[in-house]
Amino acid sequence: MNLQHLQDYLHSHAQGHSQPYHQPVCAYLYDLEHLRRRADMLRRSLPSQCMLFYAIKANSDEPILKALLNHTDGFEAASLGEILRVRAIDDSVPIVFGGPCKSDIELEGALSHRIALIHVESEHQLRRLNWIAWQRNEVADILIRVNPAHVPQHATLRMGGQATQFGIEEAQVPSLLELIQTLSNINLRGLHIHAISNNLDANTHLALVKHYFDLAEDWQQRYGLKFEWLNVGGGIGVNYADPNAPFDWENFCDGLARLVSAHQPGFKIVFECGRFLAADCGCYISEVIDIKSAYGKHFAILRGGSHHFRLPVSWQHNHPFLVLPQDDWHYPFSRPAVHNAPVTLCGELCTPKDTLAREVHVERLRAGDRVVFLLAGAYGWHISHHDFLSHPHPERLFLDN
Ligand SMILES: *Cc1c(COP(=O)(O)O)cnc(C)c1O
């Protein structure tokens, strides 16, 4: 995110201050040029056998999808609604389709919207897809989604390596491979494994990918199969606790290149990243309306909060932020402030859960200053409960050159 955009935005917002009571600042800013550059950089550093898809649930706004259209290899959709969002901007870009549920209508929709690969998550889903494809006189190209028996531990969320609703337990895969051979309208193209989210460690991520290679190679050998695709999911993390120590992508790509040249896999490797692509392209900015203290602790109350930006509450972390001082003060009375002390940043909702950072030290924070939450481009607006309490939505601006 380019901070100059923030200054420009605040400058333009200040132009509207002629009325006695101004609308406080509250906005998401997304930097599309930054997003495109980031996607290009990530893609360039991957070995040639790899592809980068964008998992659109992280941020499915049309300008974001359009920005990434020719800067990724395709999109991962997790519902028919997401498929339609992608097809609204392009009728041929490759889409892969995941998600544990997939109703018949969604499976049929996936076929009619020419999804490249459907990630099958259970035996019943497989049989339903075969049956629907048979009625349409089509063959469905699929990957089977595996829930591997072992995954590394360094992640915020885990969808695999333990009992979850996602994918097919590793031990059940062989019988599914046998079943697939009897299904007339299914074409197995490979495996999909998305087992963790927000992994911050490049070496564990590499170990994870190597483990997936081993699984794929073992099953190919045992069942005389030839996979064309190994989708290794998303899950590359963003370091909200210390934005200056990001996931070491360069090191990861070096290791991956060594892994690919050692294994010479016959399949292509797909990454379907959401967070790692989009987090850094957006920020959420909000104005401090009030500062107060209670029982020895300081609180800043912001216009906005978790109904716009639920991520910190959902993950129970202190979201990284910057203070943008605003020197004008137009009230004829003193300005509430906190100096050199820990402060808790709260939103405008009537619930103690509406807290975006707890007891974080600030040099100075005053009513009227603005707070900018960084790394808010992924899983920010899109996972939030916008209409709880009926406050106005934030402005949402997509900036481009
Ligand atoms: C959410 C999701 C992703 C993207 O995960 P990130 O952690 O945002 O990279 C990729 N694949 C599947 C199947 C998902 O559910």
Side-chain angles (χ1 to χ4, degrees):
M1 181 85 214
N2 181 345
L3 287 183
Q4 185 58 45
H5 286 317
L6 271 174
Q7 300 297 350
D8 293 348
Y9 169 71
L10 290 174
H11 185 73
S12 70
H13 188 271
Q15 312 286 305
H17 277 196
S18 47
Q19 278 99 20
Y21 309 125
H22 75 274
Q23 257 320 322
V25 170
C26 185
Y28 269 99
L29 308 188
Y30 302 98
D31 183 341
L32 300 177
E33 176 60 22
H34 183 89
L35 179 63
R36 280 192 296 266
R37 275 207 308 270
R38 179 164 177 79
D40 291 345
M41 179 278 287
L42 296 179
R43 229 165 144 205
R44 244 194 335 265
S45 42
L46 282 170
S48 60
Q49 224 155 333
C50 300
M51 297 185 140
L52 181 64
F53 277 54
Y54 172 55
I56 82 164
K57 77 173 185 284
N59 184 334
S60 56
D61 285 316
E62 185 175 288
I64 300 281
L65 301 184
K66 281 185 168 161
L68 289 174
L69 183 57
N70 294 311
H71 296 263
T72 52
D73 295 294
F75 295 100
E76 192 261 354
S79 68
L80 182 54
E82 287 193 345
I83 291 171
L84 295 174
R85 277 177 177 252
V86 176
R87 281 291 172 251
I89 64 152
D90 193 276
D91 59 13
S92 62
V93 62
I95 302 177
V96 298
F97 180 32
C101 185
K102 300 193 196 82
S103 67
D104 290 351
I105 286 178
E106 289 184 293
L107 291 173
E108 143 107 347
L111 293 173
S112 66
H113 289 284
R114 301 170 317 285
I115 294 315
L117 294 165
I118 299 176
H119 300 161
V120 169
E121 303 225 10
S122 77
E123 179 179 330
H124 183 54
Q125 195 176 95
L126 178 70
R127 291 186 192 273
R128 285 190 295 120
L129 178 59
N130 182 59
W131 179 69
I132 290 167
W134 176 77
Q135 282 168 331
R136 291 173 57 92
N137 199 18
E138 284 179 41
V139 172
D141 287 309
I142 70 155
L143 304 184
I144 54 179
R145 178 170 181 180
V146 179
N147 176 350
H150 307 286
V151 298
Q153 306 287 323
H154 298 262
T156 311
L157 299 178
R158 289 178 61 185
M159 284 68 71
Q162 60 191 17
T164 68
Q165 68 269 48
F166 301 104
I168 294 149
E169 179 184 332
E170 187 177 317
Q172 297 171 8
V173 169
S175 70
L176 211 74
L177 294 176
E178 282 169 20
L179 171 64
I180 286 172
Q181 299 182 352
T182 71
L183 299 177
S184 54
N185 296 67
I186 294 290
N187 183 14
L188 175 67
R189 311 279 301 271
L191 303 179
H192 171 254
I193 314 180
H194 170 73
I196 61 172
S197 183
N198 209 38
N199 181 21
L200 292 173
D201 185 75
N203 290 322
T204 36
H205 213 80
L206 204 57
L208 186 80
V209 172
K210 178 179 183 315
H211 181 54
Y212 299 167
F213 275 32
D214 292 340
L215 282 178
E217 283 164 356
D218 180 47
W219 282 325
Q220 285 190 122
Q221 258 184 3
R222 270 203 278 163
Y223 294 91
L225 298 167
K226 230 180 130 347
F227 295 144
E228 293 152 82
W229 301 98
L230 174 65
N231 183 321
V232 297
I236 296 176
V238 165
N239 195 349
Y240 299 106
D242 184 359
N244 295 318
F247 181 95
D248 189 347
W249 176 252
E250 220 173 290
N251 190 21
F252 175 71
C253 287
D254 288 348
L256 187 61
R258 284 193 297 275
L259 195 64
V260 168
S261 81
H263 281 247
Q264 299 285 332
F267 41 77
K268 285 207 192 297
I269 299 130
V270 177
F271 290 83
E272 45 179 30
C273 294
R275 188 182 312 276
F276 195 58
L277 254 168
D280 188 35
C281 84
C283 69
Y284 174 56
I285 175 167
S286 129
E287 182 165 325
V288 180
I289 303 297
D290 206 344
I291 301 260
K292 62 191 188 186
S293 70
Y295 299 101
K297 305 215 186 243
H298 300 287
F299 296 88
I301 319 293
L302 310 177
R303 152 71 182 122
S306 58
H307 50 321
H308 301 164
F309 186 45
R310 196 169 73 86
L311 177 63
V313 174
S314 161
W315 283 33
Q316 305 199 331
H317 69 213
N318 287 338
H319 205 85
F321 64 89
L322 304 174
V323 173
L324 292 186
Q326 163 67 23
D327 289 334
D328 298 346
W329 180 251
H330 66 282
Y331 299 102
F333 37 81
S334 68
R335 185 171 187 177
V338 48
H339 291 270
N340 203 16
V343 63
T344 293
L345 303 183
C346 307
E348 62 197 342
L349 301 183
C350 302
T351 159
K353 301 214 176 211
D354 188 17
T355 298
L356 305 185
R358 270 175 214 282
E359 301 195 37
V360 177
H361 185 272
V362 294
E363 289 286 308
R364 182 183 73 181
L365 187 63
R366 302 166 299 181
D369 286 340
R370 286 75 184 263
V371 174
V372 182
F373 294 93
L374 307 169
L375 301 172
Y379 305 109
W381 175 249
H382 296 82
I383 65 164
S384 305
H385 43 292
H386 309 145
D387 292 318
F388 185 41
L389 263 83
S390 301
H391 285 293
H393 291 182
E395 275 188 89
R396 300 188 61 241
L397 298 175
F398 298 88
L399 308 166
D400 210 345
N401 290 346

